Amino acid sequence: MNFYRDHAWPSTLEEAIVIQETLQNQVITEDQLQEPIQYVAGVDMGFEADGTISRAAVAVLSFPDLQVIETSLAYRPTTFPYVPGFLSFREIPAVLDALEKIKTTPNIILCDGQGIAHPRRLGIASHLGLLIDMPTIGVAKSRLVGKHEQLAETKGSTQPLIYNGEIIGAVLRSRTGVKPLYISSGHRISLPTAIDYVLRCTPKYRLPETTRIADKLASAK
């Protein structure tokens, strides 16, 4: 894959905040998809050597049948600490390395993390989407910010995720009776469309197939 832009990677939280505040207004939360959707991808991270080495995985699947087309792994030294709300600075450099290796360009990338459901509206899905100018979706296993009403137990149930009076995402029951996922627009995709594609990528388990396969690659020993 070819990338459209990059920026200097920060060494401090203060520098990272400036980047987030600069980029947040550039995020597009309307549908700008190249249809038909033929390929979806998942990205995930693992760490080795006590966190000093980042291991990024990408899995590209056909859509809608969700068969693995291509995978890649990339390693690089970890240069940013683990701080909630700043994970994109820790993870994206290696993710970009892994994306550079794939030959099949996905139409949508599902990220294991937040999109705009973030204090400064720039979680990893939004940050990555801006850098590569592609539709991305935040599919997080836990909530970073926001509140929501009680969620029904049946698959497909949703509730708005609200932060400072604004809908920043949705809580989605991806499988009946299991813990929900936290879905938000990453870049170039609306929240309703994001929810739709997450559900279509989640035929059986709690996590989308894109995430499940990328997670196995990222955490394999």
Side-chain angles (χ1 to χ4, degrees):
M1 283 179 56
N2 295 318
F3 303 130
Y4 294 83
R5 62 188 294 185
D6 203 346
H7 56 66
W9 290 92
S11 58
T12 67
L13 291 183
E14 291 75 15
E15 293 171 350
I17 289 171
V18 170
I19 292 172
Q20 289 178 336
E21 291 178 343
T22 300
L23 294 181
Q24 64 176 325
N25 293 326
Q26 301 175 32
V27 174
I28 296 169
T29 56
E30 299 176 352
D31 291 330
Q32 292 187 359
L33 306 176
Q34 186 175 355
E35 297 181 309
I37 304 300
Q38 296 180 295
Y39 303 104
V40 291
V43 299
D44 204 354
M45 290 292 300
F47 294 90
E48 301 180 2
D50 295 324
T52 61
I53 301 297
S54 299
R55 173 177 176 152
V58 175
V60 182
L61 280 61
S62 57
F63 186 85
D65 57 337
L66 303 177
Q67 299 300 305
V68 177
I69 300 298
E70 187 178 0
T71 63
S72 71
L73 282 171
Y75 302 80
R76 70 156 55 202
T78 305
T79 58
F80 201 84
Y82 173 83
V83 182
F86 297 90
L87 297 187
S88 64
F89 298 100
R90 180 177 171 88
E91 299 182 358
I92 283 181
V95 169
L96 293 176
D97 290 345
L99 286 170
E100 283 183 341
K101 294 183 176 184
I102 64 173
K103 298 179 180 179
T104 307
T105 301
N107 302 105
I108 303 173
I109 297 179
L110 284 70
C111 298
D112 180 29
Q114 312 291 345
I116 67 165
H118 180 277
R120 287 167 295 282
R121 304 296 189 272
L122 201 83
I124 187 170
S126 298
H127 197 166
L128 179 65
L130 279 171
L131 291 180
I132 63 176
D133 193 27
M134 288 186 61
T136 54
I137 302 172
V139 185
K141 296 186 284 289
S142 60
R143 176 170 53 100
L144 182 59
V145 293
K147 297 181 179 180
H148 60 87
E149 299 295 330
Q150 185 172 351
L151 185 65
E153 291 291 324
T154 54
K155 177 175 180 174
S157 300
T158 64
Q159 284 287 349
L161 182 64
I162 299 172
Y163 181 63
N164 289 340
E166 177 187 354
I167 295 176
I168 58 169
V171 191
L172 170 67
R173 191 80 68 185
S174 57
R175 185 181 180 191
T176 298
V178 303
K179 292 181 179 179
L181 299 174
Y182 296 84
I183 312 303
S184 56
S185 301
H187 183 53
R188 290 178 50 185
I189 195 164
S190 67
L191 181 58
T193 302
I195 293 170
D196 177 50
Y197 277 104
V198 170
L199 281 171
R200 292 168 74 180
C201 291
T202 314
K204 186 176 181 180
Y205 300 100
R206 179 194 179 206
L207 297 177
E209 290 300 289
T210 47
T211 303
R212 285 198 333 110
I213 294 167
D215 175 72
K216 288 181 180 180
L217 289 168
S219 58
K221 300 298 184 182

